[in-house]
Amino acid sequence: MDTYLGRVKAEILSIGDELLLGDIVDTNKPYIARQLVQLGISPTYFQTVGDESEDIVMAFKLALSRAHVIIATGGLGPTDDDLTAACVAKALDVPLEHREDVMDQMSARLKRPKDQFTASNRKQALLPLGAHVLRNDWGTAPGIHCEAPGSRHIFLTAGVPREMKGLLGTWIVPWLKEHFPSPETITIRQFSAFGIPESRIGEQLKDLMQPGNNPDVGTRVADGVCTVRVVARAKDPAATAALLAPAVARVKEVLQEGLFGEGDETLPAVTARLLIQSKKTIALAESCTAGMVASLLAATPGISAVLLEAAVVYSNEAKVRTCGVREETLQAYGAVSAETARELAEGMRQRARTDIGVSVTGIAGPDGGTSAKPVGLFFVGVATASGTQVYERSYPGLDRQLFRERAAFTALDLVRRVALELW
Amino acid sequence: MDTYLGRVKAEILSIGDELLLGDIVDTNKPYIARQLVQLGISPTYFQTVGDESEDIVMAFKLALSRAHVIIATGGLGPTDDDLTAACVAKALDVPLEHREDVMDQMSARLKRPKDQFTASNRKQALLPLGAHVLRNDWGTAPGIHCEAPGSRHIFLTAGVPREMKGLLGTWIVPWLKEHFPSPETITIRQFSAFGIPESRIGEQLKDLMQPGNNPDVGTRVADGVCTVRVVARAKDPAATAALLAPAVARVKEVLQEGLFGEGDETLPAVTARLLIQSKKTIALAESCTAGMVASLLAATPGISAVLLEAAVVYSNEAKVRTCGVREETLQAYGAVSAETARELAEGMRQRARTDIGVSVTGIAGPDGGTSAKPVGLFFVGVATASGTQVYERSYPGLDRQLFRERAAFTALDLVRRVALELW
C-alpha cells in the first residue's frame, strides 16, 4: 500500500453490538476506504467496538493517537444504546452541549414541532462542545465533525449505509478534499474481463506488477471476473495520464476481447446496456441457470425493450413445447448436450422472433452427474441470423449456486460479444 | 450484549492491505463472531491492519492486553507481504523456529518432495517458538495456535474463507469448547417472517425485549424479512430449554403464519423445500421480477422435479402467446393489473399443467409509473385447483433491484403458504 498512498492516515471505526455478534457484515468500512484512497488518504486502521461506553472511548483515544482523520459509523440513534457522541466528547475531554440548530433540522426532517420532541429526539441534539453539524438529508441523526488538537478530525455518521453514503459524499469527502489536498494526483483505472485466468493475466503483466512500480498494477478475481487495477501517482492529472497511458494500453492488449468494462461496471449491466443501445432483441431458454440470466439482465432499466421473452425449461416437456426441441435429439444426446443447446437457442429465437436466441443447459448438481457428463458441465447455445454456435464449458469444483452463476456469466459474456459483433 | 454473553473476551483481527483499501468486504469476522457467540465467548473487539510489520505487532499487543482469545486471519501465505507469523513471534517476544513437521504436511498437501520446496514454501514452515500446528486440509498455510502468558491464546488462519472455516470448525472451535467451557449454557433460537413490519413485532413483543431479560429477545430486519432472536442462558440445556419455551411460544404466536423458518433458513430455500416435499408442481409467469423467483427457487437441489416451467413475459405479446392473456384484458386494464396477473397465473398453470401457477407483474421503475399506477406497484397472482387469488402490494420507496427482490419474496411467501395449504 505504501507504494501509492499519501501520508495522511485515516482510521475507520464501526460501533455496534450487531457487528460484534456477527449479525451483519460491515460494508461501510470498505466503502469509506475506497473513497479515502481516491483522495490520496491512507485508510490504515479499522476498529469495531460494541455499544459499551468504555470501549468506544478507548477506540477513539487510540485512533486519535495514530490517525489524522477518523471516520466512525453507528451509535448516533435515539436509543440508550447510542453512545457515540457522548463517548467522543469524553475522548476529547469536552462537555456535551444542547444544539438548537440540530433541533431545528430534526424538526424540519421529522415534520414535527420541536415542542413535541420526545426525550429520545432531544438526546440526538446533544453534541460535543464546538462540533460542526453535517445536515443529514437521508435520515434523522445529523452527522458530526469534531476538531481535535494536532489537526486531527473526527467525523461521525449513522451506521445505515444510505445515510453514511449521503453524509460522506455531501460533506465529508468535499471537506477532506479541501483541507487535506493530496500532495499529488492519484488516478485509478480498473478493467474487468470474464473467463481469463488470473494467473495468465498475471504472467503477461508480470513486468508491470513489480512492487514499487508507478503506475502500480494489481489483479484480483471474483466469480470468474478478473479485475486489473492500474494506479498512477504524479504531480498533476496530465502527469498521471501520461504514466497511465502505456500501462492501460498493455492491460487492454492482454485482456483483448475479454475486457468487458471499466471502473465498477458489471458484466450483466454492460451486456444489458449493449443490447439496449444496439437495439438487438433477445430471448432466453434457461435450464440449469433457471432464470438467472434473465434476472441479471433485468436489473438494468429499459431491458424490457429488448429482452422479449425468457423461459425456464427444466423439464424435457418444456424444452419440446416451448422451444421445439426434437424428441429424437433429447433421446439421442440428452438434455445436457451441444445438440439440445443448439435447438433450444434456435427454437427460442424463432418463437420470440428476436435477433438473438440463447440457451443454457448443464448439470448443476449436487446429483445427476455421470462420468461422461459430470456435475459442472454445461453448454451455452447462441443463435443469430448468421447461424448458431454452441459453447461447452465445465466448472467441476463449484457448488450448485456458484456453478449457476458462472454458467450465467458465461452466457452473458457470449451475448456481450454478439452485441458487439465480436462473435 | 452484556446481557447474555460470557466473560471470556475474544478479539478478531484481519490482516491485509486489500481490506484497508476496500477491495474486499470482510466476511470472516462476522462468521467467526457467530461461532464464538455460540460458545459463550464474547467477541468484544475487531481490528483490521495492513501488511505492515509494526502495525501488526501493535495490533496483537493491544489484543493480548484485553482479550483472552485472539483469532487472526490473513498474512500466512508464502509471499514477502505475509508477515503474520513473524509479527506474532515479535508480539510474544519469542523467536521463529523452522518446523520440519510443517514441511512434511505441506509436502503431502502439495504432492511435492521437501527438497524441491521453494524459499517461499520454506518460509511457511517458520513458526513462533512453541506454536501448535493446526493441519490445513483446505489449503497450504497451516493454522497456528500460540499460547501467551496469562492463559491467552492466539489462533492464526489464512484469510481465504474456505480455509478459515475449515481450520475454525475442525481445530479451533473444538479446542475452545474444551478449554473455555461456557460457565453456562447459551441457547439461541431464531425465527424469521416475511412481510410483517418490525415495528409491529417489536410492539407486540415489547415486554420480552426489555434490556437485561433472560431470555433476551431482539429483532432485526433485512429485505423485508424480520428475524426474531431469542437467547437464553442458564446452567444447563434443560434450564435454557425451560426458559426458552414460553418466549418461543410468544414469538410464534406473534409471527403466526408469517413465520417461515428457523435458524438460518431463507425464504427461497424453505419455499423450495416445501414444494419438493409436498410434490406440488409449479409454473411461473414473471414480468417485473424477470426470472428472479425461478432463479431463487432453483438454488435448492431437486427443484427441477416440481418447477416445471417458468417464463419471463415482459412483452404483451409474450403474455398473450405464452400464458393466453386476452388482448381485451391488456387493453382494458393494462399489463400491470389484477386482471392480467390473474390471467397470467391461470394461463401458466394450464400451459404447464401444474398444481400451482404464479404470476408477478409490476412497475419496477425508474420510469413507467403513472399517478394511478406508480413505480413500486405490483400484483402477484396465484392459481390453484381451488381458484385464483391476486395480491396487490406497493413498495414506492425502493430502487429497481430492491423492488424486484421484494416482489419476488412476496411471491415466494404466497407460494409457501399455498404449499402449506395456509392460503
Side-chain angles (χ1 to χ4, degrees):
Chain A
M1 190 158 68
D2 273 5
T3 52
Y4 63 84
L5 283 174
R7 267 170 307 164
V8 176
K9 287 187 180 181
E11 179 141 359
I12 309 177
L13 268 62
S14 304
I15 297 157
D17 284 351
E18 68 281 15
L19 293 160
L20 290 182
L21 293 172
D23 279 348
I24 57 171
V25 172
D26 190 349
T27 56
N28 284 344
K29 284 205 187 94
Y31 182 89
I32 296 168
R34 286 195 302 272
Q35 305 289 314
L36 294 173
V37 169
Q38 303 267 2
L39 297 171
I41 293 173
S42 305
T44 312
Y45 308 100
F46 295 169
Q47 292 185 72
T48 304
V49 290
D51 301 320
E52 293 290 335
S53 189
E54 221 175 289
D55 293 339
I56 302 172
V57 173
M58 185 170 76
F60 276 103
K61 284 188 173 170
L62 178 61
L64 283 165
S65 75
R66 60 187 183 181
H68 308 92
V69 174
I70 299 158
I71 303 182
T73 60
L76 291 185
T79 72
D80 294 344
D81 268 3
D82 292 304
L83 305 165
T84 304
C87 291
V88 167
K90 265 187 210 157
L92 294 173
D93 203 15
V94 299
L96 287 169
E97 156 185 53
H98 173 84
R99 291 284 291 261
E100 205 60 28
D101 55 339
V102 172
M103 295 283 283
D104 291 331
Q105 285 182 14
M106 286 170 60
S107 171
R109 171 89 200 162
L110 295 169
K111 295 186 175 61
R112 194 189 310 161
K114 286 189 281 183
D115 55 17
Q116 291 177 25
F117 272 26
T118 61
S120 305
N121 294 140
R122 291 178 171 278
K123 173 178 167 291
Q124 289 183 283
L126 282 176
L127 267 50
L129 185 69
H132 308 285
V133 175
L134 313 177
R135 199 185 62 240
N136 184 348
D137 290 329
W138 311 268
T140 316
I144 298 173
H145 171 194
C146 298
E147 297 183 41
S151 290
R152 287 161 199 256
H153 294 269
I154 298 177
F155 297 89
L156 310 177
T157 84
V160 181
R162 190 169 34 87
E163 299 184 36
M164 178 279 291
K165 288 177 186 175
L167 290 161
L168 192 73
T170 308
W171 304 114
I172 304 174
V173 164
W175 190 94
L176 291 172
K177 216 177 242 178
E178 192 186 331
H179 293 83
F180 287 100
S182 183
E184 55 194 355
T185 299
I186 296 172
T187 310
I188 302 178
R189 291 185 67 183
Q190 290 201 141
F191 303 89
S192 295
F194 176 79
I196 311 178
E198 187 182 23
S199 57
R200 195 202 301 168
I201 296 172
E203 200 52 54
Q204 294 183 4
L205 293 174
K206 204 177 171 67
D207 55 317
L208 294 184
M209 292 174 70
Q210 295 308 308
N213 273 5
N214 183 18
D216 176 274
V217 176
T219 61
R220 65 177 192 276
V221 73
D223 302 329
V225 171
C226 182
T227 300
V228 182
R229 181 163 59 175
V230 188
V231 182
R233 55 192 295 168
K235 64 178 196 313
D236 56 42
T240 58
L243 278 172
L244 281 172
V248 166
R250 271 288 300 288
V251 170
K252 287 184 173 177
E253 195 186 299
V254 166
L255 300 183
Q256 292 193 313
E257 293 167 4
L259 172 66
F260 66 76
E262 267 210 60
D264 290 332
E265 288 184 308
T266 66
L267 180 57
V270 167
T271 306
R273 175 169 52 73
L274 289 171
L275 289 170
I276 295 167
Q277 282 173 354
S278 65
K279 294 193 171 63
K280 289 198 167 82
T281 56
I282 187 168
L284 308 167
E286 301 189 56
S287 185
C288 61
T289 49
M292 191 183 279
V293 179
S295 189
L296 287 169
L297 286 172
T300 297
I303 193 70
S304 57
V306 290
L307 175 56
L308 300 192
E309 195 166 347
V312 175
V313 286
Y314 263 147
S315 66
N316 280 351
E317 202 182 304
K319 290 182 178 77
V320 171
R321 184 174 56 224
T322 304
C323 302
V325 173
R326 291 174 303 163
E327 299 276 8
E328 311 91 84
T329 305
L330 289 168
Q331 274 167 27
Y333 303 101
V336 178
S337 64
E339 292 76 9
T340 298
R342 171 182 299 272
E343 292 187 19
L344 281 171
E346 291 176 351
M348 199 66 206
R349 179 172 175 267
Q350 276 169 24
R351 170 187 172 83
R353 291 185 222 98
T354 50
D355 298 318
I356 310 169
V358 177
S359 66
V360 191
T361 179
I363 300 167
D367 305 317
T370 64
S371 59
K373 293 184 180 175
V375 168
L377 174 73
F378 68 99
F379 297 88
V380 177
V382 181
T384 66
S386 50
T388 303
Q389 297 205 45
V390 178
Y391 186 89
E392 176 179 347
R393 197 76 200 247
S394 181
Y395 290 109
L398 300 179
D399 75 12
R400 180 180 176 91
Q401 192 62 1
L402 288 176
F403 164 79
R404 293 177 60 230
E405 287 170 20
R406 203 63 61 86
F409 267 52
T410 303
L412 289 167
D413 194 54
L414 293 170
V415 171
R416 178 185 70 84
R417 289 164 190 254
V418 169
L420 283 172
E421 298 178 354
L422 289 172
W423 200 62
Chain B
M1 189 156 70
D2 272 5
T3 51
Y4 62 85
L5 284 174
R7 267 169 306 165
V8 176
K9 288 188 180 180
E11 179 141 2
I12 308 177
L13 268 62
S14 304
I15 297 157
D17 284 351
E18 68 281 13
L19 293 159
L20 290 181
L21 294 172
D23 279 348
I24 57 172
V25 171
D26 189 351
T27 56
N28 283 345
K29 283 205 187 93
Y31 182 88
I32 296 168
R34 286 195 301 273
Q35 305 289 316
L36 294 173
V37 168
Q38 303 268 1
L39 297 171
I41 294 174
S42 305
T44 313
Y45 308 100
F46 294 170
Q47 292 186 73
T48 304
V49 290
D51 301 319
E52 294 290 334
S53 185
E54 223 174 287
D55 293 341
I56 301 171
V57 173
M58 187 170 73
F60 276 103
K61 283 188 173 168
L62 178 61
L64 283 165
S65 75
R66 60 187 183 183
H68 308 91
V69 173
I70 299 158
I71 302 183
T73 60
L76 290 185
T79 73
D80 293 343
D81 268 5
D82 292 302
L83 305 166
T84 303
C87 291
V88 167
K90 266 189 209 156
L92 294 173
D93 204 16
V94 299
L96 286 168
E97 157 185 52
H98 173 83
R99 293 283 292 258
E100 205 60 28
D101 54 339
V102 172
M103 295 283 282
D104 291 332
Q105 285 182 15
M106 288 171 59
S107 171
R109 172 88 199 162
L110 296 168
K111 295 187 175 63
R112 195 190 308 161
K114 285 188 280 181
D115 55 18
Q116 290 176 25
F117 271 23
T118 61
S120 306
N121 294 140
R122 290 178 172 278
K123 174 179 166 292
Q124 288 183 283
L126 282 175
L127 267 50
L129 185 70
H132 308 287
V133 175
L134 313 177
R135 198 183 63 240
N136 183 348
D137 291 329
W138 311 267
T140 315
I144 299 173
H145 170 195
C146 297
E147 297 183 42
S151 291
R152 288 164 198 253
H153 293 269
I154 299 177
F155 296 90
L156 310 177
T157 85
V160 181
R162 189 169 35 88
E163 298 184 38
M164 177 279 291
K165 288 178 187 176
L167 289 162
L168 192 73
T170 307
W171 304 114
I172 304 174
V173 164
W175 191 93
L176 291 172
K177 216 177 243 176
E178 191 184 332
H179 293 82
F180 287 99
S182 185
E184 54 194 356
T185 299
I186 296 172
T187 310
I188 302 177
R189 290 185 68 183
Q190 291 202 141
F191 303 90
S192 295
F194 176 78
I196 311 178
E198 187 183 21
S199 57
R200 194 203 301 168
I201 295 172
E203 201 53 53
Q204 294 184 4
L205 293 174
K206 205 176 169 67
D207 55 317
L208 294 184
M209 291 173 72
Q210 294 309 306
N213 273 7
N214 183 18
D216 175 274
V217 176
T219 61
R220 66 177 193 275
V221 72
D223 302 329
V225 171
C226 182
T227 300
V228 182
R229 182 164 56 176
V230 188
V231 182
R233 53 192 295 167
K235 65 177 196 312
D236 57 41
T240 59
L243 277 172
L244 281 171
V248 166
R250 270 289 300 289
V251 170
K252 287 184 173 176
E253 193 186 301
V254 166
L255 300 182
Q256 291 192 309
E257 293 167 3
L259 171 66
F260 67 75
E262 267 212 59
D264 290 332
E265 287 184 309
T266 67
L267 180 56
V270 167
T271 306
R273 177 170 50 76
L274 289 172
L275 288 170
I276 294 168
Q277 281 172 355
S278 65
K279 294 193 170 65
K280 288 197 169 78
T281 56
I282 186 169
L284 308 167
E286 301 188 55
S287 185
C288 62
T289 48
M292 191 184 278
V293 178
S295 189
L296 287 169
L297 286 173
T300 297
I303 193 70
S304 57
V306 289
L307 174 57
L308 300 192
E309 194 165 350
V312 176
V313 287
Y314 262 146
S315 66
N316 280 351
E317 201 180 306
K319 289 182 178 76
V320 171
R321 184 174 54 226
T322 304
C323 302
V325 173
R326 290 174 305 161
E327 298 277 7
E328 311 91 84
T329 305
L330 289 167
Q331 272 166 28
Y333 303 101
V336 178
S337 64
E339 293 75 9
T340 298
R342 171 182 299 272
E343 292 187 19
L344 281 171
E346 291 176 351
M348 200 65 206
R349 178 172 176 268
Q350 277 169 25
R351 171 188 172 82
R353 290 185 221 100
T354 50
D355 297 317
I356 310 170
V358 176
S359 67
V360 191
T361 179
I363 300 167
D367 305 318
T370 64
S371 58
K373 294 184 179 173
V375 168
L377 175 71
F378 68 97
F379 297 88
V380 177
V382 181
T384 65
S386 50
T388 304
Q389 298 207 45
V390 178
Y391 185 88
E392 176 179 348
R393 196 76 201 249
S394 180
Y395 290 107
L398 300 180
D399 76 11
R400 180 182 176 89
Q401 193 62 3
L402 287 176
F403 164 79
R404 293 176 60 230
E405 287 170 19
R406 205 62 62 86
F409 268 52
T410 304
L412 288 168
D413 195 52
L414 293 170
V415 170
R416 178 185 69 84
R417 289 163 190 254
V418 169
L420 285 171
E421 295 178 358
L422 291 171
W423 201 62

